[in-house]
Amino acid sequence: MDKKISEFKDPFSTARKEKGIGEMDDQNDPVQMLLRLKDVRKTAHNWKTFQSGAKPGRIVIPSEVDIRETRQLPFELDPPEHTEFRGIVEDWFKRPQNEEYAQNVKKQISSAIDDAMLKESFDMVTDLALPIQSRALTLLFNIPLEEAKVWISWGTHVFRSEGEALDKDKANVLYDYIDEQLEKAAKNPGEDLYSVLLQSEYQGRKITKEEAKGVMVLTFAGGRDTIINALTNATAYFAEHPESLNRLKEEPQLIGKAVEEFVRYFSPLTQMGRVVTEDTYVCEHAAKADTRVSLCWASANRDETVFENPNEIQIDRKMNPHVGFGFSHHKCMGAPHARQVMKIFIEVLTEKVGQIEILDFKENIEELGEFERKVGFHNLQINLKPIA
Ligand code: EMZ
């Protein structure tokens, strides 16, 4: 293949250099996209003018206001509420840094890759990345591995059906499931995330079921297609750059850097919105109260004023202040888990896999007004050969 499928072009570069902003419509609620790293950071800090605690679903692009009423927590809150709520749940989301947790992730991923190597060919997205993501999530929830089967059956996105459209019926499957699990945990508390949430205190009272549901919806939705894309895109890269996989085998201490570089380059979450609370300006363009702006992580991560050769993957990149996990007080709470899963996935590849062959693929392209951005693959048919 001449053109490398692991090359993800930067569609924002001209607009970023010339204007600093881009524009897109989203279900008749337009978005002004901030494209420069500096502006993205500044705006992320300024929660008074650019709020997250808007109508539930509105800061997500594409907007989810028509498919959910539950506020996702803590991410659809602003300080000071956000600070207190995040404080309650944050420690739980740092458990992935524990050695025992890492060992358990490693067992899961090793066995998934062993199974995959027995097949002549398989789809990286649905046959490997999705099961890895779903099984690892049982560790984050602290529940039996068995439950992953149910989640795998939901497919790669919990709010979108294969055609990409937001899907209310599909979303309802998730909401009903979470309600049911919370009921069970309320009746019979255990050591799992549902139970821990229901026992936590916020503003001097117990967390409500609706609030616990808000955390669970975010945990299910936020780390799903993002992790799946990250694993799949990294695999495509290694298929086309076997020398990089070899280098990481020789120098495993670089794997952490490689993970950061993949998150920068592939930016699995393109952008996140904010709602403007008062008439203001972004990049010298008027931004009226009650309109939306977005922090375009994917563009900021290719900002040539910050990153040297931004369109190249350098697995040992030295300075890498990327915003792939967001920035400021809202930066991704699932990041320790995502980083651990990616790190171990790469580690297991270096230990077991000798060759990755791409057989077929279908790209996943996001339509963002004036821009088109590749975010991953709908499918990536591959073959893995064990180290000889
Ligand atoms: C929301 C979002 C969170 C949203 C950090 O990102 O991820 C999206 O995939 C979901 O659709 O609801 O959870």
Side-chain angles (χ1 to χ4, degrees):
M1 258 179 275
D2 248 16
K3 187 180 160 290
K4 292 203 169 13
I5 66 162
S6 64
E7 247 171 56
F8 282 37
K9 294 229 169 349
D10 169 20
F12 307 110
S13 82
T14 310
R16 184 175 55 241
K17 276 181 244 167
E18 289 176 1
K19 314 179 276 182
I21 65 163
E23 274 168 61
M24 63 174 280
D25 181 46
D26 168 24
Q27 303 160 70
N28 300 318
D29 188 6
V31 184
Q32 300 203 68
M33 308 160 74
L34 290 164
L35 302 177
R36 297 177 182 149
L37 185 76
K38 212 169 127 221
D39 292 328
V40 163
R41 284 200 184 134
K42 208 169 76 189
T43 309
H45 271 314
N46 183 0
W47 51 267
K48 284 197 175 144
T49 309
F50 304 100
Q51 67 166 174
S52 295
K55 187 172 184 196
R58 194 165 174 218
I59 64 167
V60 180
I61 302 162
S63 167
E64 293 170 354
V65 289
D66 292 337
I67 57 157
R68 67 176 161 92
E69 272 139 40
T70 297
R71 180 173 297 284
Q72 290 186 17
L73 297 173
F75 119 109
E76 290 177 319
L77 284 180
D78 296 296
E81 290 81 9
H82 171 265
T83 318
E84 187 189 344
F85 203 98
R86 182 159 173 144
I88 296 167
V89 287
E90 190 150 36
D91 277 350
W92 181 275
F93 286 84
K94 287 188 179 149
R95 288 161 49 255
Q97 290 163 348
N98 300 344
E99 191 44 38
E100 196 195 331
Y101 191 105
Q103 287 308 322
N104 287 328
V105 175
K106 185 141 187 189
K107 268 187 230 148
Q108 292 182 353
I109 294 185
S110 298
S111 104
I113 290 185
D114 284 341
D115 290 347
M117 283 192 302
L118 297 173
K119 297 180 187 162
E120 209 143 282
S121 94
F122 66 92
D123 176 18
M124 176 65 204
V125 179
T126 52
D127 300 333
L128 189 56
L130 173 62
I132 286 177
Q133 186 277 339
S134 296
R135 288 175 196 151
L137 203 60
T138 63
L139 297 171
L140 193 61
F141 286 15
N142 202 26
I143 61 167
L145 178 64
E146 268 295 296
E147 201 59 20
K149 286 192 187 136
V150 178
W151 308 340
I152 293 169
S153 75
W154 295 339
T156 50
H157 202 287
V158 281
F159 296 141
R160 271 172 245 164
S161 40
E162 293 326 316
E164 280 297 283
L166 291 167
D167 184 336
K168 206 167 184 164
D169 294 340
K170 193 164 180 181
N172 281 329
V173 172
L174 174 69
Y175 305 149
D176 291 347
Y177 173 86
I178 295 174
D179 287 340
E180 208 180 293
Q181 303 304 313
L182 283 168
E183 284 303 326
K184 275 195 215 158
K187 286 201 191 101
N188 196 359
E191 304 282 295
D192 51 279
L193 179 56
Y194 303 99
S195 305
V196 168
L197 286 172
L198 291 173
Q199 283 151 32
S200 301
E201 289 210 355
Y202 172 59
Q203 298 184 332
R205 50 145 181 97
K206 283 255 156 30
I207 280 186
T208 64
K209 277 197 192 134
E210 179 65 11
E211 286 162 347
K213 183 175 177 180
V215 177
M216 297 313 297
V217 179
L218 176 57
T219 313
F220 269 114
R224 195 173 179 87
D225 49 332
T226 42
I227 291 191
I228 293 170
N229 283 335
L231 298 176
T232 304
N233 299 346
T235 303
Y237 171 78
F238 287 130
E240 295 180 329
H241 298 269
E243 73 288 352
S244 293
L245 195 59
N246 272 332
R247 174 147 185 229
L248 294 175
K249 187 179 166 69
E250 302 301 320
E251 299 173 73
Q253 70 280 9
L254 287 182
I255 293 178
K257 279 206 162 71
V259 167
E260 298 310 313
E261 180 64 346
F262 288 137
V263 175
R264 180 192 73 84
Y265 183 85
F266 294 120
S267 294
L269 184 71
T270 301
Q271 57 187 341
M272 186 52 73
R274 296 287 187 264
V275 172
V276 180
T277 57
E278 57 190 347
D279 290 358
T280 184
Y281 288 90
V282 287
C283 270
E284 287 149 31
H285 288 249
K288 291 238 167 275
D290 201 37
T291 63
R292 295 192 296 168
V293 300
S294 88
L295 315 173
C296 187
W297 319 118
S299 169
N301 281 340
R302 301 286 183 103
D303 192 328
E304 43 288 285
T305 67
V306 179
F307 301 98
E308 226 170 87
N309 299 323
N311 300 318
E312 254 173 43
I313 295 188
Q314 299 176 355
I315 52 168
D316 60 351
R317 188 177 285 276
K318 309 276 172 321
M319 297 290 284
N320 198 350
H322 72 77
V323 287
F325 287 116
F327 186 70
S328 192
H329 51 292
H330 278 295
K331 71 177 175 310
C332 181
M333 214 164 58
H337 174 81
R339 287 189 161 111
Q340 197 62 280
V341 170
M342 284 183 73
K343 185 167 169 249
I344 294 173
F345 176 72
I346 295 172
E347 196 178 289
V348 176
L349 285 184
T350 64
E351 289 166 4
K352 294 186 181 266
V353 176
Q355 200 198 323
I356 307 171
E357 192 189 353
I358 298 171
L359 304 168
D360 200 8
F361 65 92
K362 185 164 174 244
E363 295 180 338
N364 181 357
I365 310 281
E366 290 179 342
E367 308 277 346
L368 311 162
E370 55 187 299
F371 312 108
E372 275 189 0
R373 169 169 200 256
K374 176 153 105 184
V375 66
F377 299 89
H378 289 298
N379 47 62
L380 180 69
Q381 200 67 28
I382 60 170
N383 157 285
L384 296 183
K385 287 205 175 58
I387 288 175

